[in-house]
């Protein structure tokens, strides 16, 4: 008897047969696939995780099923999860976009001594219930080579995304003129160049610079550059 589904998984017999049939096909070629995870989208508990994924986590299928939401806390960077999971849930609610792959970077404790390693993952609905609502999601997770430039870019991208999420209200408090000047300031141009290009005095520019730093809570010029990068100004 297979263990593709938890003993008390709630679904109709026809949907259950469909799930078992699909997962059996996956298992037949599991060695040729990246790690794959099946979640119940009703509560995002783990329904099934490939053997390769279980080995990387150092856990059994029963372990990860029993964890429920604790699974995300134990094995993943919580800042990452808070960023991508709500976006995927929102995608699932939109019928027009739900079927498209949702891709994201995530850090998973698969390294030595349970250290974080970067993965490029992609998720989409896997099984629908009899009312055509997403029931299970499928996620493929491909580990990034830590020496590859993509791992470094993933780190920077996640830092920028978290900065964006945590500071949107601060950025929104800037006037249109202040956003324009922030773009110039972050580009590395000298004060005299920015003043001439924007037809303002250096004194006025410095006043704008102080106001921008105050509104953003930026302490240094580098902080201003990070804000500008996160909000796609440079």
């Amino acid at each position: 008897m297979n263990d593709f589904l938890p003993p008390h998984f709630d679904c109709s017999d026809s949907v259950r047969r469909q799930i078992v049939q699909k997962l059996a096909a996956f298992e037949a070629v599991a060695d040729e696939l990246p790690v794959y995870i099946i979640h119940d989208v009703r509560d995002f508990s783990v329904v099934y995780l490939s053997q390769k994924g279980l080995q990387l986590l150092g856990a059994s299928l029963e372990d990860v099923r029993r964890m429920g939401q604790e699974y995300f806390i134990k094995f993943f960077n919580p800042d990452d999860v808070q960023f991508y999971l709500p976006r995927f849930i929102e995608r699932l609610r939109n019928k027009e976009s739900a079927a498209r792959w949702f891709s994201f970077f995530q850090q998973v404790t698969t390294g030595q001594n349970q250290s974080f390693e970067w993965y490029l993952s992609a998720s989409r609905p896997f099984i629908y219930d009899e009312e055509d609502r997403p029931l299970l999601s499928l996620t493929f997770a491909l580990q990034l080579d830590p020496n590859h430039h993509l791992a470094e870019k993933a780190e920077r991208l996640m830092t920028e995304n978290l900065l964006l999420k945590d500071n949107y209200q601060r950025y929104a408090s800037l006037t249109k003129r202040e956003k324009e000047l922030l773009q110039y300031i972050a580009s590395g141009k000298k004060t005299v160049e920015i003043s001439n290009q924007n037809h303002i005095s250096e004194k006025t520019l410095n006043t704008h610079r102080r106001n921008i730093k105050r509104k953003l809570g930026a302490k240094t010029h580098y902080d201003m550059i990070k804000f500008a990068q996160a909000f796609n100004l440079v």
Side-chain angles (χ1 to χ4, degrees), residues 135-196:
L135 177 64
L136 299 180
S137 66
L138 164 67
T139 299
F140 284 116
L142 184 65
Q143 186 175 1
L144 298 180
D145 182 342
N147 298 316
H148 195 281
H149 70 279
L150 270 179
E152 182 181 343
K153 286 187 176 181
E155 183 82 42
R156 187 168 66 248
L157 178 63
M158 185 56 64
T159 299
E160 290 180 1
N161 284 337
L162 292 174
L163 180 68
L164 186 153
K165 179 175 73 73
D166 293 339
N167 295 279
Y168 179 78
Q169 293 301 324
R170 287 183 172 181
Y171 177 74
S173 72
L174 298 181
T175 65
K176 181 180 179 181
R177 184 59 163 164
E178 287 170 341
K179 291 175 183 177
E180 292 172 352
L181 292 174
L182 175 59
Q183 186 173 16
Y184 282 101
I185 293 168
S187 69
K189 293 181 180 291
K190 295 181 179 179
T191 298
V192 64
E193 291 181 272
I194 301 173
S195 298
N196 291 338

Side-chain angles (χ1 to χ4, degrees), residues 201-214:
S201 69
E202 292 184 33
K203 181 179 179 181
T204 299
L205 175 59
N206 287 331
T207 299
H208 279 300
R209 194 196 308 267
R210 286 195 299 272
N211 289 337
I212 293 170
K213 289 179 72 173
R214 175 178 54 79

